[in-house]
Coordinates of all heavy atoms in Angstrom, one line a residue:
L10 N 172.5 71.2 106.1 CA 171.7 71.4 104.9 C 170.5 70.4 104.9 O 169.4 70.7 104.5 CB 172.5 71.2 103.6 CG 171.9 71.4 102.3 CD1 171.4 72.9 102.2 CD2 172.8 71.1 101.1
T21 N 156.5 74.4 103.1 CA 156.2 75.0 101.8 C 154.7 74.6 101.4 O 154.3 73.4 101.6 CB 157.1 74.5 100.7 OG1 158.4 74.8 101.1 CG2 156.8 75.2 99.4
K29 N 143.7 76.0 95.4 CA 143.4 77.2 96.2 C 142.1 77.9 95.8 O 141.3 78.3 96.6 CB 144.6 78.2 96.2 CG 145.8 77.6 96.9 CD 147.0 78.6 96.7 CE 148.2 78.0 97.3 NZ 149.4 78.9 97.0
N44 N 122.0 73.4 92.2 CA 121.2 73.8 91.0 C 120.6 75.2 91.1 O 119.6 75.5 90.5 CB 120.1 72.8 90.8 CG 120.6 71.4 90.5 OD1 121.7 71.2 89.9 ND2 119.9 70.4 91.0
Y69 N 134.0 77.5 86.0 CA 132.7 77.4 86.6 C 131.7 78.4 86.0 O 130.5 78.0 85.9 CB 132.8 77.6 88.1 CG 133.1 76.3 88.8 CD1 134.5 75.9 89.0 CD2 132.1 75.4 89.2 CE1 134.8 74.7 89.6 CE2 132.4 74.2 89.7 CZ 133.8 73.8 89.9 OH 134.1 72.6 90.5
D77 N 122.7 77.0 81.3 CA 121.8 77.9 80.7 C 121.6 77.8 79.2 O 120.9 78.6 78.6 CB 122.2 79.3 81.1 CG 121.9 79.7 82.5 OD1 121.1 79.0 83.1 OD2 122.5 80.6 83.0
F93 N 144.6 79.2 80.8 CA 145.3 79.5 82.1 C 145.7 78.2 82.8 O 146.7 78.2 83.5 CB 144.4 80.3 83.1 CG 144.1 81.7 82.6 CD1 142.8 82.1 82.4 CD2 145.1 82.6 82.3 CE1 142.5 83.4 82.0 CE2 144.9 83.8 81.9 CZ 143.6 84.3 81.7
A117 N 133.4 68.1 69.2 CA 132.9 67.4 70.4 C 133.8 66.2 70.7 O 134.3 65.9 71.8 CB 131.5 67.0 70.4
F127 N 142.8 62.5 79.9 CA 143.0 63.0 81.2 C 142.5 62.1 82.4 O 143.1 62.0 83.4 CB 142.5 64.4 81.4 CG 143.4 65.5 81.0 CD1 143.3 66.1 79.8 CD2 144.4 65.9 81.8 CE1 144.1 67.1 79.4 CE2 145.3 66.9 81.5 CZ 145.2 67.5 80.2
E131 N 139.3 55.9 82.5 CA 138.5 55.3 83.7 C 137.3 56.1 84.0 O 136.8 56.0 85.1 CB 139.5 55.3 84.9 CG 140.6 54.3 84.7 CD 140.2 52.9 84.6 OE1 139.3 52.5 85.3 OE2 140.8 52.1 83.9
S142 N 129.6 61.0 70.4 CA 130.1 61.9 69.3 C 130.5 61.0 68.1 O 130.2 61.4 67.0 CB 131.2 62.8 69.8 OG 132.3 62.1 70.2

Side-chain angles (χ1 to χ4, degrees):
L10 187 60
T21 304
K29 290 176 186 174
N44 298 326
Y69 275 91
D77 285 340
F93 295 121
F127 270 102
E131 294 294 323
S142 61

